[in-house]
Coordinates of all heavy atoms in Angstrom, one line a residue:
F1 N -43.2 -134.7 -98.9 CA -44.4 -133.9 -99.1 C -44.0 -132.5 -99.5 O -42.9 -132.0 -99.2 CB -45.2 -133.9 -97.8 CG -45.9 -135.1 -97.4 CD1 -45.2 -136.1 -96.6 CD2 -47.1 -135.4 -97.9 CE1 -45.8 -137.3 -96.3 CE2 -47.8 -136.6 -97.5 CZ -47.1 -137.5 -96.7
P2 N -44.9 -131.8 -100.3 CA -44.5 -130.5 -100.8 C -44.3 -129.5 -99.6 O -43.5 -128.6 -99.8 CB -45.8 -130.1 -101.5 CG -46.4 -131.4 -101.9 CD -46.1 -132.4 -100.8
A3 N -44.9 -129.7 -98.5 CA -44.7 -128.7 -97.4 C -43.4 -129.0 -96.5 O -43.2 -128.2 -95.6 CB -45.9 -128.8 -96.5
D4 N -42.7 -130.1 -96.8 CA -41.6 -130.5 -96.0 C -40.6 -129.3 -95.8 O -40.1 -129.0 -94.7 CB -40.9 -131.7 -96.6 CG -41.7 -133.0 -96.2 OD1 -42.6 -132.9 -95.5 OD2 -41.3 -134.0 -96.8
K5 N -40.2 -128.7 -96.9 CA -39.1 -127.7 -96.8 C -39.6 -126.5 -96.1 O -38.8 -125.9 -95.3 CB -38.7 -127.3 -98.3 CG -37.9 -128.3 -99.0 CD -37.4 -127.8 -100.3 CE -36.6 -128.9 -101.1 NZ -36.0 -128.4 -102.4
V6 N -40.8 -126.1 -96.3 CA -41.4 -124.9 -95.6 C -41.4 -125.2 -94.1 O -41.0 -124.3 -93.3 CB -42.8 -124.5 -96.1 CG1 -43.4 -123.4 -95.3 CG2 -42.7 -124.2 -97.6
V7 N -41.9 -126.4 -93.7 CA -42.0 -126.7 -92.3 C -40.6 -126.8 -91.7 O -40.4 -126.3 -90.6 CB -42.7 -128.1 -92.1 CG1 -42.7 -128.5 -90.7 CG2 -44.2 -127.9 -92.6
S8 N -39.6 -127.4 -92.4 CA -38.3 -127.5 -91.9 C -37.6 -126.1 -91.8 O -36.9 -125.8 -90.8 CB -37.4 -128.3 -92.9 OG -37.9 -129.7 -92.9
F9 N -37.9 -125.2 -92.7 CA -37.4 -123.9 -92.7 C -37.9 -123.1 -91.4 O -37.2 -122.5 -90.7 CB -37.8 -123.1 -93.9 CG -37.5 -121.6 -93.9 CD1 -36.1 -121.2 -94.1 CD2 -38.4 -120.7 -93.8 CE1 -35.8 -119.9 -94.1 CE2 -38.1 -119.3 -93.8 CZ -36.8 -118.9 -93.9
F10 N -39.2 -123.3 -91.2 CA -39.8 -122.6 -90.0 C -39.2 -123.3 -88.7 O -38.9 -122.5 -87.7 CB -41.3 -122.8 -90.0 CG -42.0 -122.3 -88.8 CD1 -42.3 -120.9 -88.7 CD2 -42.4 -123.1 -87.8 CE1 -42.9 -120.4 -87.6 CE2 -43.1 -122.6 -86.7 CZ -43.3 -121.3 -86.6
H11 N -39.0 -124.6 -88.7 CA -38.6 -125.3 -87.5 C -37.1 -125.1 -87.1 O -36.8 -125.0 -86.0 CB -38.8 -126.8 -87.7 CG -38.5 -127.7 -86.5 ND1 -39.1 -127.5 -85.3 CD2 -37.7 -128.7 -86.3 CE1 -38.7 -128.4 -84.4 NE2 -37.8 -129.1 -85.0
T12 N -36.3 -124.9 -88.1 CA -34.9 -124.8 -87.9 C -34.3 -123.4 -88.0 O -33.2 -123.2 -87.4 CB -34.1 -125.7 -88.9 OG1 -34.4 -125.2 -90.3 CG2 -34.4 -127.2 -88.8
V13 N -35.0 -122.5 -88.6 CA -34.5 -121.2 -88.8 C -35.3 -120.1 -88.1 O -34.7 -119.3 -87.3 CB -34.4 -120.8 -90.3 CG1 -33.8 -119.4 -90.5 CG2 -33.5 -121.8 -91.0
I14 N -36.6 -120.1 -88.3 CA -37.4 -119.0 -87.7 C -37.7 -119.2 -86.2 O -37.5 -118.3 -85.4 CB -38.7 -118.9 -88.5 CG1 -38.5 -118.7 -90.0 CG2 -39.6 -117.8 -87.9 CD1 -37.7 -117.4 -90.3
L15 N -38.2 -120.4 -85.8 CA -38.6 -120.6 -84.5 C -37.5 -120.4 -83.4 O -37.8 -119.8 -82.4 CB -39.2 -122.0 -84.3 CG -39.7 -122.4 -82.9 CD1 -40.8 -121.4 -82.5 CD2 -40.3 -123.8 -82.9
P16 N -36.3 -120.9 -83.6 CA -35.3 -120.7 -82.6 C -35.0 -119.2 -82.3 O -34.6 -118.8 -81.2 CB -34.0 -121.4 -83.2 CG -34.6 -122.4 -84.1 CD -35.8 -121.8 -84.7
L17 N -35.2 -118.4 -83.3 CA -35.0 -116.9 -83.1 C -36.2 -116.2 -82.5 O -36.1 -115.1 -82.0 CB -34.7 -116.3 -84.5 CG -33.4 -116.8 -85.2 CD1 -33.3 -116.2 -86.6 CD2 -32.2 -116.5 -84.4
M18 N -37.4 -116.9 -82.6 CA -38.6 -116.2 -82.1 C -38.9 -116.5 -80.7 O -39.6 -115.7 -80.0 CB -39.8 -116.7 -83.0 CG -39.9 -116.1 -84.4 SD -40.0 -114.3 -84.3 CE -41.6 -114.1 -83.5
N19 N -38.4 -117.6 -80.1 CA -38.7 -117.9 -78.7 C -38.5 -116.8 -77.7 O -39.4 -116.5 -76.9 CB -38.0 -119.2 -78.3 CG -38.6 -120.5 -78.9 OD1 -39.7 -120.4 -79.4 ND2 -37.9 -121.6 -78.8
P20 N -37.3 -116.2 -77.8 CA -37.1 -115.1 -76.8 C -38.0 -113.9 -77.0 O -38.4 -113.3 -76.0 CB -35.6 -114.7 -77.1 CG -35.0 -115.8 -77.7 CD -36.1 -116.5 -78.6
V21 N -38.4 -113.6 -78.2 CA -39.3 -112.5 -78.5 C -40.7 -112.8 -77.8 O -41.3 -112.0 -77.2 CB -39.5 -112.3 -80.0 CG1 -40.5 -111.2 -80.3 CG2 -38.2 -111.9 -80.6
I22 N -41.1 -114.1 -78.0 CA -42.4 -114.5 -77.4 C -42.4 -114.4 -75.9 O -43.3 -113.8 -75.3 CB -42.8 -115.9 -77.9 CG1 -43.0 -115.9 -79.4 CG2 -44.1 -116.4 -77.2 CD1 -43.2 -117.3 -80.0
Y23 N -41.3 -114.9 -75.3 CA -41.2 -114.8 -73.9 C -41.1 -113.4 -73.4 O -41.7 -113.0 -72.4 CB -40.0 -115.7 -73.4 CG -40.4 -117.1 -73.2 CD1 -40.0 -118.1 -74.1 CD2 -41.0 -117.5 -72.0 CE1 -40.3 -119.4 -73.8 CE2 -41.4 -118.8 -71.8 CZ -41.0 -119.8 -72.7 OH -41.3 -121.1 -72.5
T24 N -40.3 -112.6 -74.1 CA -40.1 -111.2 -73.6 C -41.4 -110.4 -73.7 O -41.7 -109.6 -72.8 CB -39.0 -110.5 -74.5 OG1 -37.8 -111.3 -74.4 CG2 -38.8 -109.1 -74.0
L25 N -42.2 -110.6 -74.8 CA -43.4 -109.8 -74.9 C -44.5 -110.1 -73.9 O -45.3 -109.3 -73.6 CB -44.0 -110.0 -76.3 CG -43.1 -109.4 -77.5 CD1 -43.8 -109.7 -78.8 CD2 -43.0 -107.9 -77.3
R26 N -44.4 -111.4 -73.3 CA -45.4 -111.8 -72.4 C -45.0 -111.9 -71.0 O -45.7 -112.3 -70.1 CB -45.9 -113.2 -72.9 CG -46.6 -113.2 -74.2 CD -47.3 -114.5 -74.5 NE -48.3 -114.8 -73.4 CZ -49.5 -114.4 -73.5 NH1 -50.0 -113.6 -74.5 NH2 -50.4 -114.7 -72.5
N27 N -43.7 -111.5 -70.7 CA -43.2 -111.5 -69.3 C -42.8 -110.1 -68.9 O -41.8 -109.6 -69.3 CB -42.0 -112.5 -69.3 CG -41.6 -112.8 -67.8 OD1 -41.2 -111.9 -67.1 ND2 -41.6 -114.1 -67.5
Q28 N -43.6 -109.6 -68.0 CA -43.4 -108.2 -67.5 C -42.1 -108.0 -66.8 O -41.4 -107.0 -67.0 CB -44.5 -107.8 -66.6 CG -44.5 -106.3 -66.3 CD -44.6 -105.4 -67.5 OE1 -45.4 -105.6 -68.4 NE2 -43.7 -104.4 -67.6
E29 N -41.7 -109.0 -66.0 CA -40.4 -108.9 -65.2 C -39.2 -108.9 -66.2 O -38.3 -108.1 -66.0 CB -40.3 -110.1 -64.3 CG -41.2 -110.1 -63.1 CD -42.6 -110.7 -63.4 OE1 -42.8 -111.0 -64.6 OE2 -43.4 -110.7 -62.5
V30 N -39.2 -109.7 -67.2 CA -38.1 -109.7 -68.1 C -38.1 -108.4 -68.9 O -37.0 -107.9 -69.1 CB -38.2 -111.0 -69.0 CG1 -37.1 -110.9 -70.1 CG2 -38.1 -112.2 -68.2
K31 N -39.2 -108.0 -69.4 CA -39.3 -106.7 -70.1 C -38.7 -105.5 -69.3 O -38.0 -104.7 -69.8 CB -40.7 -106.4 -70.6 CG -41.2 -107.2 -71.8 CD -42.4 -106.7 -72.4 CE -43.6 -106.7 -71.5 NZ -44.9 -106.3 -72.1
S32 N -39.2 -105.5 -68.1 CA -38.7 -104.4 -67.2 C -37.2 -104.5 -66.9 O -36.5 -103.4 -67.0 CB -39.5 -104.4 -65.9 OG -40.9 -104.3 -66.1
S33 N -36.7 -105.7 -66.7 CA -35.3 -105.8 -66.5 C -34.5 -105.5 -67.7 O -33.4 -104.9 -67.6 CB -35.0 -107.3 -66.1 OG -33.6 -107.5 -65.8
M34 N -35.0 -105.9 -68.9 CA -34.3 -105.5 -70.2 C -34.2 -104.0 -70.3 O -33.2 -103.4 -70.8 CB -35.0 -106.2 -71.3 CG -34.6 -107.6 -71.5 SD -35.4 -108.2 -73.1 CE -34.7 -109.9 -73.1
K35 N -35.3 -103.3 -70.1 CA -35.3 -101.9 -70.2 C -34.3 -101.2 -69.3 O -33.6 -100.3 -69.7 CB -36.8 -101.3 -69.9 CG -37.8 -101.7 -71.0 CD -39.2 -101.2 -70.6 CE -40.2 -101.6 -71.7 NZ -41.6 -101.2 -71.3
R36 N -34.2 -101.7 -68.0 CA -33.3 -101.2 -67.1 C -31.9 -101.4 -67.5 O -31.0 -100.5 -67.4 CB -33.5 -101.8 -65.7 CG -34.8 -101.3 -65.0 CD -34.8 -101.7 -63.5 NE -34.7 -103.1 -63.3 CZ -35.7 -103.9 -63.2 NH1 -37.0 -103.4 -63.3 NH2 -35.5 -105.2 -63.0
L37 N -31.6 -102.6 -68.1 CA -30.3 -102.9 -68.5 C -29.9 -102.1 -69.7 O -28.7 -101.5 -69.8 CB -30.2 -104.4 -68.9 CG -28.9 -105.0 -69.4 CD1 -27.8 -104.9 -68.3 CD2 -29.0 -106.4 -70.0
L38 N -30.8 -101.9 -70.7 CA -30.5 -101.1 -71.8 C -30.3 -99.6 -71.5 O -29.5 -98.9 -72.0 CB -31.6 -101.2 -72.9 CG -31.7 -102.6 -73.6 CD1 -32.9 -102.7 -74.5 CD2 -30.4 -102.9 -74.4
S39 N -31.1 -99.1 -70.5 CA -31.0 -97.7 -70.1 C -29.7 -97.4 -69.4 O -29.2 -96.3 -69.6 CB -32.2 -97.4 -69.2 OG -32.1 -98.1 -68.0
R40 N -29.2 -98.4 -68.7 CA -27.9 -98.2 -68.0 C -26.7 -98.3 -69.0 O -25.7 -97.5 -68.8 CB -27.7 -99.3 -66.9 CG -28.6 -99.1 -65.7 CD -28.1 -99.9 -64.6 NE -27.8 -101.3 -64.9 CZ -28.7 -102.3 -64.7 NH1 -29.9 -102.0 -64.2 NH2 -28.4 -103.5 -65.0
H41 N -26.7 -99.2 -69.9 CA -25.5 -99.4 -70.7 C -25.6 -98.9 -72.2 O -24.6 -98.9 -72.9 CB -25.3 -101.0 -70.8 CG -25.0 -101.5 -69.4 ND1 -23.8 -101.4 -68.8 CD2 -25.8 -102.3 -68.6 CE1 -23.8 -102.0 -67.6 NE2 -25.0 -102.5 -67.4
V42 N -26.8 -98.6 -72.7 CA -26.9 -98.2 -74.1 C -27.3 -96.7 -74.2 O -26.7 -95.9 -74.9 CB -27.9 -99.0 -74.8 CG1 -28.1 -98.6 -76.3 CG2 -27.4 -100.5 -74.8
F43 N -28.3 -96.3 -73.4 CA -28.9 -95.0 -73.5 C -28.4 -94.0 -72.5 O -29.0 -93.0 -72.3 CB -30.4 -95.1 -73.5 CG -31.0 -96.0 -74.5 CD1 -31.6 -97.2 -74.2 CD2 -30.9 -95.7 -75.9 CE1 -32.2 -98.0 -75.1 CE2 -31.5 -96.5 -76.9 CZ -32.1 -97.7 -76.5
C44 N -27.4 -94.4 -71.8 CA -26.9 -93.5 -70.7 C -26.0 -92.4 -71.4 O -25.5 -92.5 -72.5 CB -26.0 -94.3 -69.7 SG -24.6 -95.1 -70.5

């Protein structure tokens, strides 16, 4: 089908990289923990 390559591209390349972003943006505990980790080791 004409859409096969586009769907495969999204399924194999884009989505695996997006899952953590989706979870992080919607999980306050993970976001807060990431901020603390970055502030300790990156922005200190």
